[in-house]
Amino acid sequence: MFWFNKPQPAPAPAPINQPACAQLTAMPRPRTPLIAEMLALYCHTRPIGALAGQEQSAEDYRMIARSVIHHIVEGWQQQTDGRGTVDDLLLIPRTSHTAPHPASPVPH
């Protein structure tokens, strides 16, 4: 049986006083479906750092994270007529000094 076919326990509900998107209820209604999706993504990814500290599933994490990042960059390229890159979206853009050398192995 593959890992994705195994029955998974239902996720624990968010605490009543801390729903995943509690911040969104206080915000004005998003102007577009795109912005609504981006805000939902933001809200649902906020706890990832804490959750990652509670369990170890690095390969699953990497596989899913790459897929999520791919979708985000694909959307950015649509927003920028194909000119946008992942570097545009980074808090601190990579430079020739900080980017990994193409032949360098990806750190695990």
Side-chain angles (χ1 to χ4, degrees), residues 31-49:
R31 295 179 300 223
T32 68
L34 172 64
I35 298 305
E37 286 296 319
M38 293 298 292
L39 287 169
L41 178 65
Y42 166 75
C43 289
H44 286 279
T45 58
R46 284 185 59 220
I48 287 177

Side-chain angles (χ1 to χ4, degrees), residues 6-96:
K6 293 179 184 173
Q8 299 294 319
I16 294 171
N17 61 349
Q18 293 277 329
C21 287
Q23 291 179 329
L24 290 183
T25 59
M27 296 178 75
R29 187 175 194 104
R31 295 179 300 223
T32 68
L34 172 64
I35 298 305
E37 286 296 319
M38 293 298 292
L39 287 169
L41 178 65
Y42 166 75
C43 289
H44 286 279
T45 58
R46 284 185 59 220
I48 287 177
L51 291 170
Q54 298 170 9
E55 60 181 88
Q56 293 297 314
S57 51
E59 289 307 312
D60 289 341
Y61 185 101
R62 182 186 310 194
M63 179 181 65
I64 296 167
R66 284 179 173 166
S67 295
V68 170
I69 292 167
H70 173 78
H71 288 262
I72 292 169
V73 171
E74 184 178 48
W76 181 240
Q77 289 173 336
Q78 290 290 327
Q79 289 284 298
T80 60
D81 295 324
R83 293 184 305 270
T85 69
V86 70
D87 288 320
D88 301 335
L89 304 174
L90 299 175
L91 292 175
I92 301 172
R94 294 181 296 178
T95 66
S96 60

